[in-house]
Amino acid sequence: MDPPPALVARLFARLLGFLLRPRGLPALPEPAQLRRVLVVRPDDRVGNALLTIPLVRALQGLLPQAQIDLLLARSRAPLAAGLPGLRVIPFDKRSLFTSPLRFLRALWSLRGYDAAIDASHWHSFSLTSSLLARWASTGWVATTDRGPARSLATAAIAPPVKEEPDVVSKLELVRGLGLAPPALCPPLETALGRSPPQGRYAVINPGARKADHRWPARAFGQLAHELDRIHGIPCIVTWGPGERALAEEVREASNGTAKVANPTDLEGLASLFRGAALVATNDTGPLHLAVACGAPVLALQLSSDAARFGHPGPLFAAVAAARDDALQAALEAAARLLTLTPRGPSADLAPGPAVPAAGPEAT
């Protein structure tokens, strides 16, 4: 769990909860009372935005008569914008300082939902997310029971067990609106990556925001070399800001069999993922983007809570990267995944099938 919020944040949340929380509501709504529902996830992480989309899809299935909208950080709105039947509301909290009038207009336009779900992390309190959910809803607000979030909500759901994938545990928030989570977890989706490259190739993504989430570049290079030697499949090494040297290190460790990708934005990265026969990556945002693009994903997991960010379904395999035989385990998992895409995955943007809400395959 993250450290508790500062005293000022706790007091501010309680004050606004007292002022904004409606009086006289039943504890839980009837489905017919939910005509407009907003799901709120305004932080700037790629993975967090993508992990919230299945919750929206679940609500659409549970409340077919309702309009379900998704609020995302403006910089991450393109991840979901363009998906069929999904309205995305971009939000930029920095505009409070750069363009106060625009910010106030945007804030006012949010008001009037029958219910809202604060879908921020269960392990830490987000004042921004909690306040936006409470402001937007004139009725019910569901959240996870942590910190002062319960002061702003009408229902606070107990945090999940740490081993449960976030994409599954997030569905429990619908209980705060009197609904039961679906038996099948909707898939991750994105509209990015409309023009995947041709040919059969694998993608190596060796970077990560957190240094302790990075499998060594040398190990990724060895993996790329073996994929080329055993399966005859070339590897493209992707990189983000400040990671070009890391990508070059992977290329050198592959004995030159891997190629370093050109600079890419999210659209370009998604295109590479959507056409890949395999994506090998650390536990980081691009992992979830690759899953959303329908690629077979090999996750090299180093953190103690990595299982939280796994995915159900046959196209995902996880390897505990700290083990002594991690390279061999990764090669075995990669071989299984490559059998699922003998000619490379389709570039079709339609979402994959829903899958049972169970944990990811572990290797």
Side-chain angles (χ1 to χ4, degrees):
M1 299 287 283
D2 284 358
L7 177 61
V8 172
R10 298 199 302 271
L11 293 176
F12 189 56
R14 291 191 174 96
L15 174 61
L16 289 185
F18 175 78
L19 294 175
L20 294 176
R21 190 169 171 175
R23 308 298 193 267
L25 279 178
L28 296 172
E30 295 294 330
Q33 295 176 285
L34 300 177
R35 295 157 298 179
R36 297 181 68 222
V37 179
L38 181 66
V39 177
V40 178
R41 192 71 190 259
D43 66 82
D44 199 39
R45 302 296 178 200
V46 169
N48 292 344
L50 291 167
L51 288 167
T52 308
I53 293 173
L55 171 60
V56 177
R57 292 306 198 194
L59 282 167
Q60 289 177 328
L62 294 168
L63 298 169
Q65 81 288 353
Q67 173 186 325
I68 314 294
D69 295 340
L70 173 61
L71 183 148
L72 293 176
R74 182 172 296 277
S75 61
R76 300 308 175 210
L79 291 165
L83 288 173
L86 180 55
R87 179 172 179 254
V88 179
I89 300 174
F91 179 77
D92 184 2
K93 63 181 180 182
R94 291 171 298 185
S95 65
L96 171 62
F97 306 103
T98 60
S99 182
L101 288 178
R102 186 177 68 181
F103 177 84
L104 291 174
R105 284 196 297 268
L107 203 61
W108 185 255
S109 68
L110 288 177
R111 187 73 171 160
Y113 284 88
D114 301 305
I117 291 181
D118 167 16
S120 56
H121 276 315
W122 59 259
H123 65 271
S124 62
F125 171 65
S126 168
L127 182 61
T128 299
S129 188
S130 293
L131 289 179
L132 285 172
R134 179 66 277 166
W135 167 256
S137 174
T138 57
W140 295 269
V141 171
T143 190
T144 307
D145 189 0
R146 74 269 188 267
R150 65 180 72 90
S151 303
L152 292 154
T154 55
I157 306 303
V161 295
K162 288 186 178 181
E163 293 75 19
E164 186 174 50
D166 260 27
V167 70
V168 174
S169 63
K170 196 68 66 184
L171 302 183
E172 290 293 315
L173 288 169
V174 304
R175 295 189 187 278
L177 301 183
L179 305 169
L184 297 180
C185 179
L188 261 65
E189 304 172 68
T190 183
L192 296 180
R194 297 178 183 276
S195 302
Q198 299 300 308
R200 184 164 165 79
Y201 61 91
V203 174
I204 301 286
N205 186 78
R209 180 174 60 90
K210 298 179 179 179
D212 60 354
H213 285 205
R214 296 176 189 162
W215 203 36
R218 180 173 176 274
F220 271 118
Q222 291 174 323
L223 176 63
H225 176 77
E226 292 301 300
L227 289 174
D228 182 75
R229 183 182 69 82
I230 298 170
H231 302 283
I233 185 166
C235 292
I236 300 171
V237 185
T238 55
W239 51 281
E243 294 177 345
R244 179 63 188 258
L246 177 64
E248 291 289 353
E249 190 178 347
V250 174
R251 182 192 64 78
E252 291 174 7
S254 74
N255 293 329
T257 58
K259 305 299 181 186
V260 176
N262 293 325
T264 58
D265 55 11
L266 279 178
E267 174 66 33
L269 189 61
S271 293
L272 284 173
F273 287 164
R274 200 176 289 280
L278 175 72
V279 175
T281 178
N282 293 308
D283 176 14
T284 185
L287 179 154
H288 307 294
L289 182 61
V291 171
C293 289
V297 174
L298 170 61
L300 287 308
Q301 298 180 332
L302 286 165
S303 63
S304 59
D305 64 346
R308 278 185 55 195
F309 302 106
H311 293 273
L315 289 177
F316 184 87
V319 167
R323 54 195 277 186
D324 293 338
D325 63 342
L327 178 59
Q328 183 58 36
L331 285 168
E332 292 172 2
R336 291 198 303 272
L337 291 170
L338 286 169
T339 65
L340 302 177
T341 54
R343 291 175 299 278
S346 168
D348 188 358
L349 285 178
V355 292
E361 176 185 354
T363 301

